[in-house]
């Protein structure tokens, strides 16, 4: 039996979960390892346009090498099932066509080797990518690959914590770079997802000393997360500030919430705004549509009262919120109608209020 035919049998048995055959020599062992590595890379989702350019580049380079050696490589794929990530192939493993001569199979392995080198470069680049970058999805796929191959609960905890730490670094980087809200939200969503995953993995560790070690590691990274989120509060706009506050609340921090906003017209041409919620701090500010507004006259942990000119609020819907001195924030919705401008006195029950 020819070596390539024997390799074909080995691959088929691996695909179908059959008992493996002995590997007779190093050449076949190397070819089998290359085929399995390419099969794993085939699971990675690479942008199609990038994959197409990579494929054309590799084929051009392979033909140049063959011409230098006095050979001609077919322009079509020399392998019946070679799939470059992002292209149209479908099989999981490399397999030679039985009718092809040995030299074409060797050339095909050369292409596979170059593909491996190129993909290693892609993975290296993806590891440095940030939320919003073209290769960030590949980075997330690689991280999931590492989680899937963790051998035990302790290893999974370690991998998840390392990835949460990396996600926190990415969050800081996109904020420092001044990237848009979409990129920052993606970074923050990744942090939130990794936080949940870390907690779940620690809970899955059997009770005992190993659980205690895992819990200490979790407590440490959650403290680091809290510090990172609080550091970013004063470097982002109002919508992201609200999102950061929400994640701090998910960590268990006492952050403000708004459950109700009520406005009442006064006899002096002013409006009285009352917000009800929790964790309002002394010297908290009234925020309307993301900007500081009005004058706060009274604050308790559950209520904030402020006054504002009725000329400042024309009829319509407003996002009315609170910002604590530590930078945390929350908001509700207030609907203002013409009653506040056409009459004096106090509205009837339910007027000028909003329940969240």
């Amino acid at each position: 039996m020819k070596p390539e035919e024997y390799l074909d049998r080995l691959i088929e048995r691996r695909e179908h979960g059959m008992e493996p055959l002995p590997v007779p020599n190093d050449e076949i062992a190397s070819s089998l390892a290359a085929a399995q590595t390419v099969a794993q890379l085939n699971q990675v989702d690479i942008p199609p346009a990038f994959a197409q350019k990579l494929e054309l580049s590799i084929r051009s380079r392979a033909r140049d090498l063959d011409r230098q050696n006095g050979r001609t490589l077919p322009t079509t794929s020399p392998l019946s099932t070679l799939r470059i990530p992002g292209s149209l192939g479908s099989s999981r493993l490399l397999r030679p066509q039985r009718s092809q001569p040995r030299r074409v199979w060797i050339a095909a392995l050369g292409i596979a080797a170059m593909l491996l080198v190129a993909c290693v470069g892609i993975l290296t680049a993806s590891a440095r990518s940030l939320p919003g970058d073209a290769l960030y999805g590949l980075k997330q796929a690689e991280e999931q690959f590492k989680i899937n191959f963790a051998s035990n609960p302790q290893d999974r905890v370690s991998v998840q914590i390392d990835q949460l730490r990396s996600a926190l670094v990415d969050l800081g980087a996109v904020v420092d770079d001044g990237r848009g809200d979409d990129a920052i939200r993606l970074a923050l969503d990744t942090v939130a997802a990794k936080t949940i995953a870390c907690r779940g993995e620690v809970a899955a560790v059997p009770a005992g000393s190993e659980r205690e070690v895992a819990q200490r590691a979790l407590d440490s990274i959650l403290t680091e997360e809290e510090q990172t989120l609080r550091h970013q509060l004063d470097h982002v706009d109002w919508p992201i500030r609200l999102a950061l506050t929400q994640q701090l609340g998910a960590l268990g921090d006492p952050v403000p919430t708004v459950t109700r906003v009520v406005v009442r017209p006064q006899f002096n041409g002013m409006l009285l705004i009352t917000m009800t919620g929790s964790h309002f701090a002394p010297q908290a500010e009234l925020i309307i549509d993301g900007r500081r507004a009005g004058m706060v006259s009274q604050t308790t942990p559950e209520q904030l009262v402020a006054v504002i000119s009725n000329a400042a609020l024309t009829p319509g819907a407003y996002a009315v919120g609170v910002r604590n001195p530590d930078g945390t924030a929350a908001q509700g919705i207030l609907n203002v109608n013409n009653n506040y401008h056409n009459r004096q006195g106090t509205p009837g029950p339910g007027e000028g209020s909003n329940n969240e």
Side-chain angles (χ1 to χ4, degrees), residues 326-337:
D326 66 356
T328 55
Q331 74 176 17
I333 302 299
L334 174 66
N335 291 304
V336 176
N337 57 49

Side-chain angles (χ1 to χ4, degrees), residues 330-347:
Q331 74 176 17
I333 302 299
L334 174 66
N335 291 304
V336 176
N337 57 49
N338 286 321
N339 289 340
Y340 306 113
H341 301 82
N342 297 335
R343 56 179 264 189
Q344 299 290 324
T346 303

Side-chain angles (χ1 to χ4, degrees), residues 168-188:
L168 291 172
V169 172
D170 288 350
L171 174 61
V174 294
V175 173
D176 292 343
D177 287 352
R179 300 203 179 189
D181 283 5
D182 288 345
I184 298 176
R185 285 187 183 279
L186 178 56
L188 185 57

Side-chain angles (χ1 to χ4, degrees), residues 58-302:
I58 290 172
R59 293 189 183 283
S60 176
R61 177 58 177 163
R63 285 193 294 271
D64 289 343
L65 290 175
D66 263 14
R67 280 194 292 267
Q68 293 172 14
N69 295 324
R71 297 192 300 267
T72 301
L73 188 67
T75 56
T76 57
S77 174
L79 297 178
S80 62
T81 59
L82 171 62
R83 179 171 71 91
I84 295 176
S87 66
L88 297 178
S90 59
S91 182
R92 293 172 294 154
L93 293 175
L94 290 168
R95 182 180 298 116
Q97 294 179 1
R98 298 181 186 276
S99 61
Q100 292 176 326
R102 180 179 177 80
R103 64 182 179 83
V104 175
W105 171 237
I106 294 174
L109 284 179
I111 293 178
M114 287 188 291
L115 177 60
L116 292 179
V117 172
C119 286
V120 168
I122 294 171
L123 293 176
T124 301
S126 71
R128 297 191 297 268
S129 65
L130 294 174
D133 291 345
L135 291 179
Y136 187 69
L138 179 58
K139 177 179 180 178
Q140 292 181 309
E142 182 184 4
E143 290 180 344
Q144 186 59 50
F145 183 84
K146 292 178 180 178
I147 294 170
N148 292 341
F149 277 81
S151 58
N152 55 61
Q154 292 77 20
D155 288 344
R156 292 177 67 88
V157 168
S158 179
V159 170
Q160 291 282 16
I161 287 178
D162 287 344
Q163 292 183 6
L164 174 54
R165 184 172 287 108
S166 175
L168 291 172
V169 172
D170 288 350
L171 174 61
V174 294
V175 173
D176 292 343
D177 287 352
R179 300 203 179 189
D181 283 5
D182 288 345
I184 298 176
R185 285 187 183 279
L186 178 56
L188 185 57
D189 288 345
T190 302
V191 168
K194 295 296 182 184
T195 300
I196 294 172
C198 284
R199 285 171 163 166
E201 295 296 348
V202 170
V205 176
S209 59
E210 292 178 344
R211 166 81 71 82
E212 294 174 359
V213 171
Q215 186 63 52
R216 286 195 295 269
L218 176 62
D219 292 342
S220 177
I221 190 62
L222 293 184
T223 298
E224 183 178 336
E225 179 179 344
E226 178 187 357
Q227 294 170 349
T228 299
L229 296 176
R230 288 191 174 276
H231 175 73
Q232 305 302 335
L233 282 170
D234 291 329
H235 302 280
V236 296
D237 58 19
W238 177 254
I240 299 298
R241 183 189 295 270
L242 293 172
L244 290 171
T245 299
Q246 184 176 9
Q247 182 58 22
L248 283 168
L251 295 178
D253 282 14
V255 297
T257 62
V258 174
T259 56
R260 183 176 172 85
V261 182
V262 176
V263 60
R264 297 177 184 275
Q266 304 298 292
F267 289 100
N268 56 0
M270 303 294 286
L271 298 175
L272 186 70
I273 296 178
T274 302
M275 272 191 296
T276 304
S278 63
H279 300 299
F280 298 159
Q283 300 181 349
E285 299 174 337
L286 173 69
I287 306 294
I288 298 180
D289 287 344
R291 296 181 296 274
R292 182 179 177 181
M295 178 181 299
V296 177
S297 60
Q298 179 183 346
T299 305
T300 69
E302 290 79 29

